[in-house]
Amino acid sequence: MLPRLLRLAVVTVLVGIGAGIGGMLVTLALRLVQHLAYGYSAGTFLDGATHAPPAVRVVALLVAGVVGALGWWALRRWGRAIVTVERAVDGRRMPGLATLANAALQVVVVGLGASIGREAAPRELGALVGGWLSDRAGISERERRILVACGAGAGLAAVYDVPLGGAVFTLEVLLAQLTVGTVIPAVVTAGLGTLVARLVVPTDPLYTLPAQLSWTTAVRWSSVPFGPWFVAWSIVVGAVLGALAAGFVALTARAAARRPRSWRILLVMPLVFAAVGIASVWLPAILGNGRGLGQIAFDGAIGMLGLAVLAIVKTVATTGTIASGAAGGTLTPALAIGAALGAAAGAPLHSLTGASLSAFALVGAAAFLAVTLRAPVTAIVLVVEFTHATPWMLLPMVIGTTAAMLASHPWRRRRAPGVD
């Protein structure tokens, strides 16, 4: 018994470390591509893209379309079929070289500005590490599946510095189990992956909030200028965003089902990416995985109409990117769209009460993401870790997310693609 448990413990530790290394490599590669493409050395990707000449954005997206089209066409024509993380958790083996190539293509196109999430690549790498180590350790099939899921969650935790979010993602989304045998490896791998990746991944929150909404400064409810009306708003807007998020899931699912499977990708992807590049001449915030749009929403720097337009265009750009044949994630695009819609819906009350638009954006982000992932707990935990939001925001976020899940139930048929 002891040798088996000891072997399992060693593999669990190695999976966490391997996923952390994968997240670290994804982060470094993404920064390199972004800095080379847009010619900046400091600041965020949105800063670099905004200050780059408009022609640079168009060219960068066109290059992304050409590279992605050639890469995915060749990979799907001559490589082994890609196995998603969900299927790997179910027991399918992930092809090593094809998975690495698929992850590399995602990093390159997202770094060049493609409107899709980057989080699928580190999840796939973490799952690949988990499966590879498990096969060589000779553990049981059930234990192998758990460690594949833990590797994927640890990859997510590593690339975004969200240890709790990565562990909860593993348990709620991938395993749908809450036992001692799943919680311990999920927490250990996510924690180790985060620690390893911190060699290059910043520990600052992914999104910054006003001081009164940050957990480092907002220490009591009285520091957050809301009342019962905000809870009522969370119910109503959460329900609306839940229905809209279900529509987003349906759109992306249909886009994935209809994406070109043959040589047509060589025509479709460059055209779609070029169109996104042209749109970015006026709306640079639609570029990349959605972090720029999310920060704009949390800043409350633009008005209701501007936020709504950005959310709509981001939705079209992300759906079009998936429909063109690209692989990638929808987590950060969904969070950004939800934050923008939440802030837009809260703008009238912001004018009446002076309440921070960031609070409305937080509720919108959690509600929209919960429906997209079909995982309300994961969504709330991720939004809190991404933003370091004060615990006093948990109540409206939980209420808004619950309303969103209930409202989306009649419309949900399938999970969004691109989660892998």
Side-chain angles (χ1 to χ4, degrees):
M1 179 65 69
L2 185 58
R4 186 187 72 84
L5 291 177
L6 181 60
R7 184 168 63 250
L8 183 59
V10 170
V11 175
T12 299
V13 170
L14 292 177
V15 168
I17 294 173
I21 293 173
M24 186 168 57
L25 293 176
V26 166
T27 300
L28 289 173
L30 189 67
R31 286 179 188 168
L32 177 63
V33 175
Q34 290 174 337
H35 292 173
L36 289 176
Y38 291 91
Y40 70 102
S41 58
T44 66
F45 171 70
L46 180 59
D47 294 332
T50 301
H51 291 100
V56 169
R57 298 177 215 155
V58 178
V59 171
L61 266 293
L62 182 58
V63 171
V66 172
V67 171
L70 289 171
W72 275 305
W73 173 75
L75 183 59
R76 291 162 186 168
R77 180 177 176 85
W78 292 298
R80 295 178 60 187
I82 299 297
V83 175
T84 65
V85 169
E86 286 84 3
R87 291 180 180 177
V89 172
D90 289 338
R92 293 277 299 275
R93 264 52 179 178
M94 302 178 77
L97 291 178
T99 300
L100 291 173
N102 188 51
L105 284 170
Q106 293 176 47
V107 171
V108 170
V109 300
V110 173
L112 289 170
S115 181
I116 199 165
R118 63 170 174 165
E119 71 281 348
R123 287 205 304 261
E124 291 172 357
L125 294 178
L128 181 65
V129 169
W132 187 83
L133 289 171
S134 297
D135 288 339
R136 275 140 191 83
I139 62 177
S140 70
E141 187 63 22
R142 179 180 181 276
E143 292 165 341
R144 181 189 185 277
R145 293 178 182 181
I146 290 173
L147 286 177
V148 168
C150 289
L156 173 66
V159 80
Y160 285 128
D161 195 59
V162 287
L164 182 57
V168 174
F169 177 86
T170 299
L171 297 169
E172 185 181 23
V173 177
L174 297 178
L175 293 174
Q177 297 180 32
L178 195 63
T179 66
V180 173
T182 57
V183 171
I184 291 176
V187 171
V188 169
T189 52
L192 286 173
T194 303
L195 285 175
V196 170
R198 279 182 177 176
L199 293 172
V200 299
V201 175
T203 58
D204 296 331
L206 191 66
Y207 303 97
T208 58
L209 296 177
Q212 73 267 29
L213 294 180
S214 171
W215 73 31
T216 58
T217 54
V219 295
R220 60 189 186 279
W221 176 253
S222 60
S223 68
V224 185
F226 308 124
W229 59 266
F230 185 61
V231 174
W233 178 92
S234 299
I235 296 173
V236 175
V237 173
V240 173
L241 291 185
L244 292 176
F248 176 74
V249 172
L251 280 174
T252 51
R254 180 172 297 183
R258 296 186 176 183
R259 64 186 183 186
R261 308 282 178 178
S262 61
W263 59 267
R264 291 181 180 83
I265 192 175
L266 299 174
L267 298 177
V268 174
M269 188 174 289
L271 289 175
V272 171
F273 278 42
V276 174
I278 292 171
S280 74
V281 171
W282 298 277
L283 302 171
I286 67 170
L287 294 178
N289 67 343
R291 182 183 178 186
L293 173 56
Q295 189 59 64
I296 287 174
F298 290 125
D299 286 342
I302 62 175
M304 179 172 63
L305 180 60
L307 288 167
V309 169
L310 282 173
I312 293 170
V313 177
K314 183 64 177 179
T315 300
V316 173
T318 301
T319 304
T321 299
I322 294 171
S324 73
T330 57
L331 190 157
T332 39
L335 186 149
I337 293 167
L341 291 175
L349 286 175
H350 164 71
S351 299
L352 291 173
T353 66
S356 172
L357 277 178
S358 299
F360 302 108
L362 284 169
V363 175
F368 202 92
L369 184 60
V371 174
T372 304
L373 293 178
R374 290 188 179 181
V377 178
T378 301
I380 292 171
V381 171
L382 284 175
V383 171
V384 170
E385 283 197 300
F386 281 157
T387 62
H388 290 190
T390 173
W392 298 112
M393 281 301 302
L394 284 174
L395 176 61
M397 288 170 64
V398 168
I399 291 173
T401 297
T402 301
M405 296 299 291
L406 291 173
S408 69
H409 183 73
W411 309 101
R412 288 186 282 122
R413 293 293 182 268
R414 42 187 154 172
R415 184 189 305 274
V419 174
D420 283 303

